[in-house]
Amino acid sequence: MYQIDITERIFHFKQPAGTSRGVYTERSSWLVEITDGQRHGVGECAPLPDLSCDALQPLIYNKVLRGFCDEVEQTGEIPYEAMRDYPSMLFGLETALLSLRGPRLFDTPFSRGEQGIPINGLVWMGNYQEMLQRMEEKLHQGFRCVKLKVGAIDFDQELDLVKRIRDRFSFHEVELRLDANGGFRPDEALYRLELLSQYAIHSIEQPIKQKQWAMMAELCRDAPLPIALDEELIGVNDPETKRQMLRIIKPAYIVLKPSLHGGMMGCREWISIAREEGIGSWITSALESNIGLNTIAQFCSDVYGDHITMPQGLGTGQLFTDNIPMSLEIRGDQLWVSRNS
């Protein structure tokens, strides 16, 4: 029925990508190429080391992925329940099967090249001057929503970066999001959030490390700015546990990455449960190549419908020196599929 081949691929960053967990200079992905004898498709499995719940040693990862691919070959279907704890593998296989249809994975205005999706401009961590320069570049490119990675350099310098933006642009002109990647200590987080709140921040992602539900719930209750969960969602793959966690913590938003948060199936669950609890969401990529980014963007247009107004985190396709060509382009502060795709 199907034949699936696996190829490991290493992508190289144009410049080091810094987070509070460390600096990435290269990125490993496993490409799953599928054929039914006539049509061909490809998906990307891209776990993040020390972060993904399925970030296994490469040989073990390849072996487990091969097992799931064998099952798809034999049954013609993805074993969704068995793959709940392997989100990057699930996302890759979901993409591969969808791409058998051709480049249009979902029939939406975005996928047809008729509408763009607004995205945020991402400023990676670096020293103060590097971050200031990157911030200026994003603003010059016309981004109306800028996301700053914080929590790694001196906090006073990070606060100054935020102040510089607000000195030049009001919150009506530029939406400002922050992502701490769990970089604040619990005993300092609330004070820092209070200092940041004077600059009209849209939200801050994961101010403290995950798996501290009680402390995160306190922050969400007491902080003067909205908190979004990101890493907190990793490894929470059971629907009832998802609901329990959101009811306890009560964040303003959740930030979803299919490679980390259950593939497209798991993200649909998260969005549905969050809506029931009155919690907002947006979707972002997780340092995938253009294969993964293309799928995430089309999935985003399908799950949120026409006329997406909230900026999504879909601009990472420009990170690699050796990315895979794909009919995606950034026009101003929007991601588009080229009309001829």
Side-chain angles (χ1 to χ4, degrees), residues 6 68 85 101 218 232 256 265-266 284 312:
I6 303 171
F68 288 130
D85 293 333
R101 305 175 183 176
E218 284 186 24
E232 199 74 64
L256 295 163
M265 176 202 72
T284 183
Q312 309 291 308

Side-chain angles (χ1 to χ4, degrees), residues 6 8 28 30 47 54-67 89:
I6 303 171
E8 187 175 359
S28 293
W30 281 259
D54 58 353
L56 309 171
Q57 291 295 323
L59 289 176
I60 299 174
Y61 188 94
N62 192 77
K63 182 179 179 181
V64 174
L65 177 58
R66 182 69 260 172
M89 300 182 196

Side-chain angles (χ1 to χ4, degrees), residues 114-182:
E114 299 166 1
Q115 289 181 7
I117 295 176
I119 61 175
N120 59 246
L122 178 61
V123 176
W124 285 98
M125 286 179 174
N127 63 41
Y128 179 81
Q129 289 302 322
E130 288 171 340
M131 292 184 71
L132 181 61
Q133 179 183 348
R134 292 168 189 168
M135 183 182 71
E136 295 282 354
E137 288 171 357
K138 295 300 178 186
L139 296 173
H140 180 72
Q141 289 166 11
F143 282 95
R144 289 169 293 175
C145 176
V146 177
K147 176 177 168 179
L148 281 173
K149 293 275 189 179
V150 298
I153 65 173
D154 179 74
F155 180 71
D156 289 336
Q157 290 187 317
E158 291 175 339
L159 201 62
D160 185 62
L161 281 171
V162 173
K163 182 178 183 299
R164 278 174 178 260
I165 295 178
R166 280 291 170 254
D167 284 345
R168 287 181 50 193
F169 300 97
S170 73
F171 68 93
H172 295 293
E173 297 170 296
V174 174
E175 180 177 287
L176 192 54
R177 297 177 180 175
L178 305 178
D179 184 0
N181 287 126

Side-chain angles (χ1 to χ4, degrees), residues 27 44 46 91 259 285-290 292-293 296 316 320 323:
R27 180 79 163 92
E44 179 180 12
F91 178 59
S259 290
S285 48
L287 307 182
E288 295 90 354
S289 76
N290 277 334
L293 176 63
I296 295 167
T316 58
F320 303 114
N323 212 332

Side-chain angles (χ1 to χ4, degrees), residues 294-333:
N294 174 63
T295 305
I296 295 167
Q298 293 199 47
F299 169 67
C300 178
S301 71
D302 182 65
V303 78
Y304 290 134
D306 300 351
H307 305 294
I308 298 172
T309 56
M310 177 175 281
Q312 309 291 308
L314 304 175
T316 58
Q318 299 175 313
L319 285 179
F320 303 114
T321 60
D322 45 5
N323 212 332
I324 294 171
M326 193 70 66
S327 297
L328 295 171
E329 58 185 5
I330 294 176
R331 304 178 196 166
D333 66 346

